[in-house]
Amino acid sequence: MEKDIEIIKQTGEDLVEFSSEDLIALYNNINDFIAYLDSSVVVDDKNGEDEDE
Amino acid sequence: MNKYIEIMESYKDQLDHLPLNVKDGTKKMKEDFHLNAINYKNDTIKTLKKDYSALLDKIKDILLDRKKLLTPSKSSLDYDHLELDDEEIINVLTLENKYVTWMDKLGLKKLLSKFNTGVEIRLNEINDSIKEIISILKSAGVVVTTEDFKYSSYAHQYMSAYFGNNPSEEELKSSFESIYWECPDLITHLKLNFMTIINDHEKELNAYIPVLLEELKKKIGIGEKETKLFYLEKLQSRQRELDEDVYLVASKFLTNEAQPEDYVLSSIVRDNIFNKYITGESFSNLSDDDKNNFYDKIEELSHIIVELDNYNFFKKFINDVKKRMEQNVKGEPTKDKIKVVEKERVNVVSKLFPQKTLFGTKEASKDENLFVLENTTIKNIDVLYDELKNDLINSSISKNLNEFSSILDALMVCVGNYDYFIKLFDILKKDDETLDIEIVYSKLQHFVFNPYNEFVDNVCIKDKYDAEAVVCKKYSLLGFNLTKEDLTENMETTKHNIEFIKTCLCFELLSLNFEDFVTINKIDKLGFEA
C-alpha cells in the first residue's frame, strides 16, 4: 500500500507571535480537529466476520 | 494562523479519501490491503493527535502566561482599617453635635436600651452593658460599688454577686436565674438603678465629654481642623486610593460581574450610556473641558444618589419629626410624677435594707408584702420613664427645631436621642421585619454625618418639596440630561450607569484597556485548569 500522507512536523515556534485572538481561534480549531481525528478512527470488524465465513 | 488551518484541512481531506479497500485481487489480498490500510490510517491519526495535543499545550501555556501578565495583582489596601477610621470620626462628630443629648454622646442610652424588656434579652449582653456603663462612669471619675445599687433589694442582690469575688459568666448566670424566679422584673430594676446613678452624676459625666472628645481627636489626628472638613478630605483621599487601585477598579471584569465588551470604545452599550446624559451632541464630540465637566457632574451625582437613597429610607423619621413639630408639645410633666413615685419607692425599699437608727441597726424587713410593693412601685416608675422619654423627645424637638430648620437638623435630632431612634425604628420595622436596629442606627449615623450631603442640608423641613424634582432641576440648569424617572423608577439603572461611566474614567486615568479584559475572559472561557 502506498503511504501517501506526509506528516509535517509542527514545532509551534511561531505561535508566540500570534495575537491572543488568533491563538484562541487556533486553539478552538485544533480542538475541533482532534475531535475529528477521534471520530475518524476505524474499528475493524469486517476482518473477523470474513474469518467466520 | 491560516497555515495551521490549511494543514489541518489538508490532513482531513487526505484521511477522508484514504482508500481502505481495493477492488482487484484475491480475497486474501483484499483482506490484507484492508487491514494494512486501517492500521495505517489509525497510526497516522495517533501521530497527528499526539502532535496536535502538544500544540494545544503550547498554546495553553502561551495564553496562560499572557493572562497572568494582563491580570492585575491583588490590592494591598486594608479596607477594614479604613472603615474603622470612619466610625471614630463619626464618634467625634457625635460628641461635637449640639443636637445629641449628653447621655447619647457617651453612648449610655444605647447601652441602657439593652435592658428594655420589650426586646429579646440575652444575659451576656446585659452583663456586657453593665461592664461598659461602669467603665464609662469610671472614666468620668465615678467609681461605683455595691452600695450604689440599692434601687431595689433584687438589684442589690444581683450587683453584689456581680461585684463579688471575680464571678465567672456561669456563676453570674446562676445568680441571675435564682433572683429572676423571685423577681422577673430584675432587669427593669437594674436599668432604673443605672439610670439613677447616671442622672445623679450628670455633672461629672458632662465634664468628661470634652475630655473624651479631645482624646479621640488626638487619636485620629484631627488637630485644629474642622471635623466635617477632615472627614470630607479623608473620604476624598480614600476615594482616590480606591480609584487608583487597578485590581479594585478591574475586579468586576475578573468576577464576571460586568462584561468588558460593553465598555470598549466601539460598544453601542457604552455610547448609549454616555449619550443619555448629554443634551444635544454625543459625548465623543465634546471638548476635553466639557468631558471633564461631565465627569465632575457624574461624581457629584453619585453622592446625591446616595443621599436620595438614604433620604427615602428615613422619610418616615422626617415625617414623625414634622408631626411632633406640629403638635408643639412643650414641657416635661412626667418628671414631677416620677418624683412622687420615687419617694414611695425609697420609702418601701429602705425597709428592705438594714437601717442604722439611734438604737443600733434595724434588721431588713422580710415582709413578703413589702417585696411585692417594691416591685409594683418600680414597674409604675418604669411606665412613667417611658412617658418621660416621649416628653423629652417632644421638648428636644420644640427646643432645637423651628420653621427654618433643615431636613438634616431634623435627622440630627433623631440620631441624637437613642430613645427616639428606638421609637422611629419600630415604625420602620412594621414595614420590614428583617431590619436590624444596630445596622439601621449605623446607617442613620453615616447618613447624617456624611459631608457630601447637599439636599437635606439645604431644604427646610417645613418646605413643600419633591426631592427628586429638586435634584433634576438643579442638573438640568447645569446642562445635564437627568429626568425624574431616572431618580425614581429607573434609579437602579441610573446607579449602574454612573458606576459604568466612573469605571470608564478610572480606566482612562490608569491607562488600562478594556480589550485586555475581553482577552482574559476569552482565555477563561477555554476552561484551562491553571
Side-chain angles (χ1 to χ4, degrees):
Chain A
M1 188 196 143
E2 194 183 338
K3 309 257 190 296
D4 54 359
I5 299 180
E6 187 197 346
I7 306 277
I8 305 158
K9 190 72 191 165
Q10 292 179 98
T11 55
E13 271 167 11
D14 54 344
L15 291 174
V16 282
E17 286 152 31
F18 282 27
S19 73
S20 299
E21 285 281 308
D22 281 350
L23 278 180
I24 291 165
L26 183 58
Y27 186 89
N28 287 327
N29 274 309
I30 294 177
N31 254 334
D32 290 345
F33 182 60
I34 289 176
Y36 160 82
L37 291 175
D38 284 338
S39 69
S40 300
V41 172
V42 188
V43 181
D44 179 30
D45 48 3
K46 213 169 146 191
N47 207 17
E49 280 168 23
D50 285 353
E51 275 175 9
D52 286 345
E53 281 168 13
Chain B
M1 186 177 91
N2 286 343
K3 190 186 84 189
Y4 282 89
I5 292 171
E6 276 167 20
I7 293 172
M8 282 189 282
E9 286 304 320
S10 152
Y11 282 138
K12 270 167 129 178
D13 188 51
Q14 292 178 76
L15 285 167
D16 284 344
H17 294 100
L18 191 74
L20 296 180
N21 295 302
V22 67
K23 279 181 185 169
D24 302 326
T26 63
K27 190 185 174 194
K28 174 83 172 65
M29 280 164 74
K30 283 181 189 173
E31 279 175 3
D32 284 350
F33 182 89
H34 181 68
L35 197 64
N36 281 336
I38 288 173
N39 286 340
Y40 174 68
K41 185 171 182 175
N42 286 348
D43 285 347
T44 309
I45 287 173
K46 203 174 162 187
T47 309
L48 287 173
K49 201 176 163 187
K50 196 179 158 203
D51 285 358
Y52 277 91
S53 295
L55 269 185
L56 273 189
D57 285 344
K58 197 154 204 161
I59 296 174
K60 180 182 159 185
D61 289 344
I62 298 171
L63 286 174
L64 283 177
D65 279 349
R66 287 191 188 171
K67 184 189 161 188
K68 204 174 166 187
L69 276 176
L70 292 175
T71 308
S73 47
K74 287 222 174 186
S75 143
S76 57
L77 285 178
D78 178 2
Y79 296 103
D80 288 345
H81 180 67
L82 295 176
E83 286 297 315
L84 204 70
D85 276 359
D86 261 13
E87 298 304 321
E88 286 179 333
I89 298 173
I90 284 174
N91 282 344
V92 171
L93 287 163
T94 305
L95 285 166
E96 288 176 337
N97 195 281
K98 65 173 181 177
Y99 297 106
V100 181
T101 73
W102 66 270
M103 273 175 75
D104 283 286
K105 285 184 178 177
L106 297 171
L108 291 165
K109 278 194 192 168
K110 195 176 174 192
L111 289 168
L112 284 170
S113 75
K114 304 278 179 204
F115 295 77
N116 286 348
T117 46
V119 289
E120 195 190 336
I121 297 166
R122 289 188 185 88
L123 185 60
N124 56 348
E125 277 185 32
I126 298 272
N127 282 331
D128 287 347
S129 295
I130 289 177
K131 202 172 159 186
E132 223 171 310
I133 295 172
I134 290 173
S135 157
I136 293 169
L137 285 163
K138 198 178 167 190
S139 302
V142 181
V143 179
V144 286
T145 64
T146 325
E147 284 305 296
D148 295 288
F149 293 91
K150 285 188 168 173
Y151 192 83
S152 82
S153 53
Y154 299 107
H156 184 74
Q157 216 177 314
Y158 182 69
M159 290 310 289
S160 298
Y162 185 92
F163 284 115
N165 196 15
N166 205 11
S168 66
E169 212 169 277
E170 272 309 301
E171 283 167 329
L172 278 177
K173 197 177 165 194
S174 119
S175 167
F176 180 87
E177 273 173 8
S178 69
I179 305 168
Y180 185 83
W181 294 119
E182 275 183 61
C183 175
D185 298 310
L186 170 63
I187 291 167
T188 306
H189 292 206
L190 288 169
K191 176 180 74 180
L192 293 177
N193 201 148
F194 272 108
M195 273 174 66
T196 311
I197 296 173
I198 289 166
N199 283 321
D200 285 350
H201 295 282
E202 180 179 345
K203 205 176 152 192
E204 294 95 316
L205 287 163
N206 256 314
Y208 172 56
I209 292 170
V211 179
L212 181 63
L213 177 62
E214 277 318 301
E215 269 174 24
L216 260 177
K217 281 175 91 171
K218 203 173 164 190
K219 186 182 168 201
I220 310 170
I222 296 180
E224 294 304 308
K225 206 172 263 178
E226 192 196 341
T227 313
K228 191 179 168 184
L229 183 65
F230 176 85
Y231 190 21
L232 179 65
E233 287 173 358
K234 191 107 186 162
L235 288 177
Q236 285 169 337
S237 91
R238 179 189 310 169
Q239 194 55 53
R240 270 196 301 277
E241 264 188 272
L242 298 176
D243 288 347
E244 283 166 11
D245 187 306
V246 177
Y247 185 81
L248 255 193
V249 170
S251 64
K252 57 169 153 284
F253 301 114
L254 301 171
T255 53
N256 274 330
E257 270 173 70
Q259 298 310 314
E261 290 88 348
D262 293 342
Y263 290 72
V264 296
L265 273 172
S266 57
S267 153
I268 297 168
V269 176
R270 178 179 169 133
D271 267 356
N272 288 342
I273 289 176
F274 272 78
N275 294 338
K276 187 190 177 323
Y277 303 104
I278 306 287
T279 42
E281 291 176 86
S282 80
F283 180 80
S284 52
N285 291 338
L286 293 182
S287 67
D288 282 351
D289 277 354
D290 285 345
K291 278 182 183 169
N292 288 336
N293 192 29
F294 173 82
Y295 283 130
D296 287 345
K297 289 284 154 299
I298 285 290
E299 182 64 31
E300 266 178 43
L301 189 58
S302 69
H303 295 304
I304 288 199
I305 281 176
V306 171
E307 190 180 348
L308 276 180
D309 256 358
N310 280 322
Y311 164 78
N312 285 320
F313 187 85
F314 290 108
K315 218 170 188 171
K316 287 192 171 163
F317 284 27
I318 300 159
N319 290 340
D320 192 82
V321 175
K322 275 188 193 173
K323 206 166 80 189
R324 285 175 189 263
M325 280 175 85
E326 278 158 21
Q327 286 165 353
N328 195 22
V329 182
K330 286 179 181 163
E332 291 144 19
T334 321
K335 261 188 181 168
D336 293 334
K337 289 186 201 165
I338 290 176
K339 274 182 195 163
V340 174
V341 195
E342 272 292 2
K343 267 186 191 165
E344 289 171 23
R345 177 194 63 84
V346 172
N347 190 30
V348 176
V349 172
S350 62
K351 291 174 187 152
L352 296 168
F353 287 96
Q355 287 172 293
K356 280 182 183 164
T357 66
L358 285 171
F359 313 103
T361 306
K362 191 180 167 189
E363 272 190 33
S365 168
K366 286 180 181 147
D367 182 355
E368 278 193 18
N369 289 330
L370 270 183
F371 286 102
V372 174
L373 188 58
E374 175 193 36
N375 195 35
T376 320
T377 318
I378 290 176
K379 275 165 88 173
N380 287 341
I381 295 172
D382 193 40
V383 172
L384 286 173
Y385 264 113
D386 238 19
E387 282 176 32
L388 179 66
K389 279 178 193 169
N390 210 40
D391 286 356
L392 292 170
I393 293 164
N394 288 330
S395 84
S396 154
I397 287 174
S398 67
K399 232 186 284 171
N400 290 311
L401 303 176
N402 58 45
E403 58 184 314
F404 305 112
S405 300
S406 67
I407 299 172
L408 189 60
D409 293 326
L411 289 165
M412 293 272 189
V413 172
C414 303
V415 87
N417 183 341
Y418 201 78
D419 292 331
Y420 188 23
F421 171 77
I422 293 173
K423 286 185 193 295
L424 294 166
F425 176 75
D426 287 342
I427 300 174
L428 283 189
K429 187 115 180 169
K430 276 180 198 157
D431 294 337
D432 184 355
E433 274 288 311
T434 62
L435 289 176
D436 177 89
I437 190 159
E438 297 278 342
I439 294 170
V440 175
Y441 188 65
S442 168
K443 186 180 168 84
L444 179 63
Q445 282 182 310
H446 279 83
F447 173 32
V448 162
F449 295 118
N450 186 354
Y452 286 114
N453 283 336
E454 200 183 318
F455 162 74
V456 288
D457 202 9
N458 287 307
V459 175
C460 281
I461 186 165
K462 289 267 180 159
D463 284 352
K464 282 196 173 148
Y465 50 83
D466 173 342
E468 286 79 12
V470 171
V471 173
C472 285
K473 199 174 170 190
K474 182 198 158 185
Y475 275 83
S476 71
L477 287 170
L478 297 167
F480 202 85
N481 191 18
L482 188 74
T483 64
K484 194 180 165 187
E485 287 72 33
D486 290 331
L487 299 175
T488 48
E489 59 253 49
N490 299 333
M491 182 64 129
E492 286 311 308
T493 311
T494 308
K495 282 181 191 170
H496 168 266
N497 290 350
I498 287 172
E499 208 40 52
F500 188 104
I501 295 168
K502 283 172 80 177
T503 303
C504 291
L505 177 64
C506 286
F507 261 63
E508 203 179 309
L509 296 174
L510 294 168
S511 307
L512 293 172
N513 270 322
F514 289 111
E515 284 78 2
D516 290 344
F517 293 89
V518 173
T519 304
I520 292 173
N521 276 3
K522 281 185 179 168
I523 295 173
D524 282 344
K525 278 181 189 151
L526 294 176
F528 297 147
E529 282 172 24

